[in-house]
């Protein structure tokens, strides 16, 4: 329902495990234009889907926090970002970038960790943890059989495939507010949160990497 007809849409992190499926869904729901963004791809599966569906989805290869990538993306009415935040070493940079490109609505879906009693806004940094400590954050029981950098030690060659951060819902909400979003709706289950946000006045101006 968020991808209503006539809205322009950007899907950040569109390739990982879904090969652009959400971008195609937005297009088929009547979006006026759709741009997919990822540091991976485009995959052969994405290209095949695009051909079969006679799709006009545009793909931008790059890190959304990069100025050149942001310039190529432009702005959109609706920004959809799923499965990205915890894979980036600087999640606040990602949210600042999302605020730059979002005109009306941000739909954010990300893995999280449970709240820590008596410690609001808590977060866990996964890289370089000892094996015994990493074991606590393995989600085998939820069907996630392999988490790069948690199931095994940090893998530099995997880049953004590694899990970097475990954010509590309260930490995630505060990061969103600092980046310039108002959280209108939030729902969660176990180790994941979905938040629907509206861009508001940015309370803290933050320069992204490589910006002069």
């Amino acid at each position: 329902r968020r991808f209503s007809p006539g809205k322009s849409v950007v899907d950040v992190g569109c390739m990982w495990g879904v090969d652009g499926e959400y971008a195609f869904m937005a297009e088929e729901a009547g979006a006026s234009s759709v741009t997919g963004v990822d540091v991976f791809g485009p995959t052969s599966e994405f290209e095949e889907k695009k051909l079969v569906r006679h799709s006009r989805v545009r793909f931008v290869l790059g890190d959304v926090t990069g100025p050149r990538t942001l310039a190529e993306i432009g702005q959109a009415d609706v920004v959809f970002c799923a499965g990205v935040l915890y894979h980036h070493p600087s999640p606040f940079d990602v949210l600042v970038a999302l605020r730059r490109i979002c005109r009306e609505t941000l739909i954010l879906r990300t893995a999280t960790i449970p709240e820590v009693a008596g410690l609001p806004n808590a977060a866990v940094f996964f890289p370089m943890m000892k094996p015994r400590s990493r074991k606590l954050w393995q989600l085998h029981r939820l069907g996630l059989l392999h988490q790069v950098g948690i199931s095994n030690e940090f893998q530099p060659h995997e880049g953004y495939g590694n899990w970097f951060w475990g954010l509590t819902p309260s930490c995630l909400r505060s990061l969103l507010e600092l980046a310039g979003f108002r959280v209108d709706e939030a729902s969660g289950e176990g180790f994941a949160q979905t938040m629907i946000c509206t861009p508001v006045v940015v309370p803290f101006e933050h320069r992204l990497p490589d910006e002069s």
Side-chain angles (χ1 to χ4, degrees), residues 9-15 20 22-24 33-40 42 46 56-62 69 72-73 80:
V9 175
V10 169
D11 178 6
V12 178
C14 67
M15 287 298 156
Y22 297 126
F24 294 124
S33 64
V34 182
T35 299
V37 184
D38 210 317
V39 293
F40 302 105
F46 170 81
R56 294 184 299 167
V57 169
R58 181 173 70 110
F59 178 73
V60 174
L61 177 65
T69 303
E72 188 173 354
I73 294 170
F80 177 72

Side-chain angles (χ1 to χ4, degrees), residues 143-156:
L144 196 56
L145 300 182
H146 186 65
Q147 299 159 267
V148 180
I150 294 180
S151 300
N152 53 357
E153 62 184 16
F154 184 78
Q155 304 293 305

Side-chain angles (χ1 to χ4, degrees), residues 21-189:
E21 188 62 30
Y22 297 126
F24 294 124
M25 288 172 62
E27 183 179 51
E28 291 168 0
S32 60
S33 64
V34 182
T35 299
V37 184
D38 210 317
V39 293
F40 302 105
T43 62
S44 58
E45 290 82 1
F46 170 81
E47 296 291 9
E48 183 178 353
K49 288 179 181 181
K50 185 175 180 178
L51 182 64
V52 169
R53 300 185 189 200
H54 305 287
S55 171
R56 294 184 299 167
V57 169
R58 181 173 70 110
F59 178 73
V60 174
L61 177 65
D63 183 340
V64 72
T65 66
R68 290 183 181 178
T69 303
L70 283 174
E72 188 173 354
I73 294 170
Q75 287 191 314
D77 300 317
V78 179
V79 174
F80 177 72
C81 180
V84 173
L85 211 58
Y86 57 100
H87 281 303
H88 201 286
S90 302
F92 184 64
D93 284 347
V94 174
L95 295 178
V96 168
L98 297 182
R99 177 63 183 83
R100 300 268 186 95
I101 63 177
C102 182
R103 281 197 292 256
E104 295 181 10
T105 304
L106 168 67
I107 306 171
L108 180 70
R109 170 80 175 172
T110 185
T112 52
I113 62 173
E115 294 288 352
V116 179
L119 192 62
N121 286 18
V124 174
F125 188 63
F126 297 127
M128 310 311 170
M129 268 189 173
K130 301 300 182 185
R132 185 174 181 179
S133 298
R134 292 200 311 268
K135 190 174 182 180
L136 176 65
W137 305 107
Q138 292 180 7
L139 302 179
H140 294 170
R141 61 189 180 281
L142 299 181
L144 196 56
L145 300 182
H146 186 65
Q147 299 159 267
V148 180
I150 294 180
S151 300
N152 53 357
E153 62 184 16
F154 184 78
Q155 304 293 305
H157 66 280
E158 292 284 355
Y160 293 114
N162 286 278
W163 287 56
F164 283 89
W165 285 98
L167 307 173
T168 56
S170 60
C171 181
L172 175 61
R173 182 181 288 266
S174 293
L175 285 168
L176 281 161
E177 291 176 357
L178 188 62
F181 288 103
R182 182 186 70 233
V183 179
D184 298 320
E185 301 176 35
S187 61
E189 67 285 346

